[in-house]
Amino acid sequence: MSEEFVFTVAAQDGAARSGEIRMPRGVIRTPAFMPVGTAATVKAMYPDQVKALGADVVLGNVYHLMLRPGAERIARLGGLHAFMNWPYPILTDSGGFQVMSLAGLRKLDEDGVTFQSHVDGSMHRLTPERAIEIQGLLGSDIQMQLDECVKLPNTDEAVEKAMRLSLRWAERCRVAFGEQPGKAMFGIVQGGAVERLRVESARALVDLDLKGYAIGGLAVGEPQDVMLAMIEAVEPHLPATKPRYLMGVGTPDDIVEAVRRGVDMFDCVMPTRAGRHGMAFTRHGRLNLKNAKHAEDTRPLDKGSKCEAANAYSRAYLHHLVRSNEILAMMLLTWNNLAYYQELMAGLRKAIREKRLEDFVAETKEGWEKGATDEGAEPVAEGGVDA
Amino acid sequence: MSEEFVFTVAAQDGAARSGEIRMPRGVIRTPAFMPVGTAATVKAMYPDQVKALGADVVLGNVYHLMLRPGAERIARLGGLHAFMNWPYPILTDSGGFQVMSLAGLRKLDEDGVTFQSHVDGSMHRLTPERAIEIQGLLGSDIQMQLDECVKLPNTDEAVEKAMRLSLRWAERCRVAFGEQPGKAMFGIVQGGAVERLRVESARALVDLDLKGYAIGGLAVGEPQDVMLAMIEAVEPHLPATKPRYLMGVGTPDDIVEAVRRGVDMFDCVMPTRAGRHGMAFTRHGRLNLKNAKHAEDTRPLDKGSKCEAANAYSRAYLHHLVRSNEILAMMLLTWNNLAYYQELMAGLRKAIREKRLEDFVAETKEGWEKGATDEGAEPVAEGGVDA
């Protein structure tokens, strides 16, 4: 623990790094996967289970929490950590992405965005200052700037306009955040799939000397090689001494490839959402438990896993639970999936420290291929909101 | 544990008894509350949580399990205990009640009942022999006879006809069950709200010398005093040396009153179903967490409870989870409710052994009254099926 927000890189292997972020509420071991706790809960998980799997930090969503139960209410109740029984670090997304993807009517202007709640139709407003104020009310440890996210594909002009607005908002968020020892405000690199815009965005944000830098607006449907090209374009322009966070990513393969390219932090709804839809991630690839072929398979998901959800229940039973829409199906598959994601991150951290990342990546991919007997549809990530 | 099915009464206080049922898979401390695991899962609970709360036995449903995933399939997979990761005793309901309450088209004849699955519309048949065969395939420790349940209110004639058919089916089930060391088949006293029919049913079943006797067809909407009158009418005719099981009951108050009248076993969907609908049972009465008055209440449900769901999460947080339809709401409230039911049963057992049941009952009811500040709608039990 530390009174300040301190990031240290302990080891490098190629562009990949492993280190830790120390702050008053705990230590985040990087590369880190942050389970998504949209509405103040990592869906279908008790908080102590999440921690026990090795998650050092969870993500909360300004958009959802400001609508229900409200930021001021959470503040009166002692903040988000107390509210959701998670005393460890929390990162909050600022709401920019969700306003675009979830809200009803919305109107953007230079000063902010006015939008309609998808919960009850009421009207709300977010400005850079209000986004930071809300994150302060929540007590968030790592706060994100408000940004404008455009849908891809889009014209370069529209992408550039949103990127520049996001930069101006980053400056205003920085001022609003001020100095908060032990906490951090991250900027978000935008610029769609346009390399020169991404580079310009990164450089301008670095000039603001923020505590960390996110890469936003990716994993929204573009091919993986486009996403990786953007990371490669941006990475040389980000300071080696600051954490890099790839927002809303991704599949285990996306994460492995981004870690190889120097990314330190990830969040994604995939393990939790997939778990609620009958999908299991394992060392041996993905399984779609809805599939009839599992109906009499007495094998567990992965008898070598330390997670009870993976080693103590048969695939036949999980198949039955999924087919019967039982809550326990969602509980067990979410648990299994988060366990696998955290196991993967621990493996990546160890491999980087042992300078054997490329071997680890090869072995990991071989494992997925070898056991990948299942071609179930892959759920799509939706910008850090697990709904 | 015991190789045989052995019931012993260790203490009595008035008509109330406390004892235990020993059998190969474990010991059931009585009076016992059996959580309902309709489709091979106690909804929203991990099996080890259910056990840790003090449940010695759970209930499964022939009707649901024969339709999905099928009794023969469960047998091929090693039986219900292995399938659902519950190595302790299991009692299975025979399906009579569910055929009446859940199935589509159904046709009853002397030999059995043909009905349409509510899952996929397929046609199925249950006879007394098939009901026992299915329970054998499941590996059930305590098996129930097939019975005919009529809706109440009804004509005495219809009630009597169903009671007599149920008696003939009890004889056939007894023959089909044969001798199974370590296991038991229970008969079910029927007769609606007609005392003479209840007494006749009980006497005829006692002549069959079964291992235990259930009282069925109650808690279907009749007033509590009618239910208690039927228990009082039947109890003197049931052998003191055999366990008595009141099916589908009930509220904490119903259970307390039935224990006072000599009942040893209970099952009910109330704690689990109510937990999925925002209701909490506590020592201080019921709370409807949907209610806006909990929105900023930082108190836990019951800080004196040993259950984490009751002592570690604020009512404000539970309110938020319920309002947001979060799975964690169902997980925490179900956990709390089953914890309270098991705590109540442990209290009843201890009080009977200390011969202070009446004091315990008075204190318990005083606790409910004192804290009962909440008049939320009460979920209705539906015959041992938690759906």
Side-chain angles (χ1 to χ4, degrees), chain A residues 171-186:
Chain A
E171 291 196 50
R172 286 168 55 186
C173 285
R174 185 181 182 280
V175 172
F177 183 79
E179 293 296 323
Q180 299 189 28
K183 299 196 176 215
M185 196 275 282
F186 283 16

Side-chain angles (χ1 to χ4, degrees), chain A residues 30-344:
Chain A
T30 65
F33 179 79
M34 306 185 282
V36 176
T38 297
T41 160
V42 176
K43 291 185 195 296
M45 295 284 289
Y46 300 108
D48 55 0
Q49 284 181 295
V50 176
K51 181 64 183 168
L53 292 177
D56 297 325
V57 47
V58 299
L59 184 140
N61 281 94
V62 159
Y63 174 84
H64 289 74
L65 295 172
M66 73 184 282
L67 299 181
R68 188 172 55 194
E72 276 74 10
R73 172 167 286 169
I74 289 180
R76 283 193 297 274
L77 293 168
L80 185 56
H81 299 82
F83 187 60
M84 67 185 285
N85 255 359
W86 177 265
Y88 314 107
I90 293 175
L91 180 149
T92 42
D93 196 1
S94 63
F97 187 93
Q98 286 75 47
V99 167
M100 179 194 79
S101 57
L102 294 176
L105 295 171
R106 61 183 170 270
K107 195 170 175 305
L108 187 87
D109 56 56
E110 176 65 30
D111 190 49
V113 58
T114 302
F115 61 93
Q116 188 176 31
S117 162
H118 75 291
V119 176
D120 62 6
S122 57
M123 296 305 296
H124 296 266
R125 183 154 175 86
L126 266 182
T127 62
E129 292 75 17
R130 178 63 179 157
I132 295 298
E133 182 184 20
I134 288 172
Q135 293 177 86
L137 287 164
L138 299 176
S140 171
D141 303 286
I142 303 179
Q143 305 179 19
M144 301 305 296
Q145 72 153 97
L146 188 65
D147 57 347
E148 187 198 351
C149 297
V150 292
K151 297 216 180 200
L152 291 187
N154 212 318
T155 63
D156 286 12
E157 206 182 352
V159 170
E160 181 163 357
K161 201 172 152 223
M163 182 273 280
R164 291 195 194 286
L165 179 64
S166 296
L167 280 180
R168 294 192 295 278
W169 286 2
E171 291 196 50
R172 286 168 55 186
C173 285
R174 185 181 182 280
V175 172
F177 183 79
E179 293 296 323
Q180 299 189 28
K183 299 196 176 215
M185 196 275 282
F186 283 16
I188 305 175
V189 176
Q190 290 289 359
V194 187
E195 207 174 298
R196 67 171 175 88
L197 297 179
R198 286 279 173 187
V199 169
E200 185 184 333
S201 174
R203 285 185 169 166
L205 286 170
V206 171
D207 288 343
L208 294 178
D209 191 27
L210 303 171
K211 294 273 179 71
Y213 297 95
I215 305 174
L218 292 177
V220 290
E222 78 284 358
Q224 191 196 45
D225 60 353
V226 172
M227 179 180 84
L228 298 178
M230 292 303 112
I231 299 169
E232 288 172 15
V234 164
E235 187 268 340
H237 302 282
L238 296 176
T241 55
K242 303 285 175 76
R244 302 161 188 162
Y245 162 30
L246 182 58
M247 302 183 81
V249 172
T251 64
D253 189 65
D254 289 339
I255 289 175
V256 164
E257 292 303 330
V259 164
R260 289 179 70 205
R261 288 162 175 82
V263 175
D264 307 300
M265 300 166 71
F266 302 87
D267 80 281
C268 191
V269 299
M270 190 164 283
T272 40
R273 182 175 297 162
R276 298 198 302 283
H277 291 89
M279 293 282 289
F281 289 93
T282 77
R283 289 183 301 164
H284 309 300
R286 280 177 227 195
L287 288 82
N288 181 350
L289 272 308
K290 275 183 201 153
N291 196 309
K293 75 175 179 188
H294 302 296
E296 301 209 357
D297 192 336
T298 54
R299 291 176 299 167
L301 290 173
D302 180 356
K303 69 172 189 286
S305 168
K306 280 176 292 185
C307 175
E308 204 179 302
N311 67 38
Y313 298 84
S314 70
R315 297 178 191 193
Y317 183 58
L318 294 168
H319 170 78
H320 165 69
L321 294 177
V322 169
R323 286 285 183 108
S324 304
N325 292 315
E326 285 290 345
I327 295 167
L328 187 58
M330 302 193 267
M331 292 164 64
L332 289 173
L333 292 177
T334 301
W335 190 11
N336 169 80
N337 291 352
L338 286 178
Y340 178 65
Y341 267 64
Q342 294 300 342
E343 184 190 320
L344 177 64

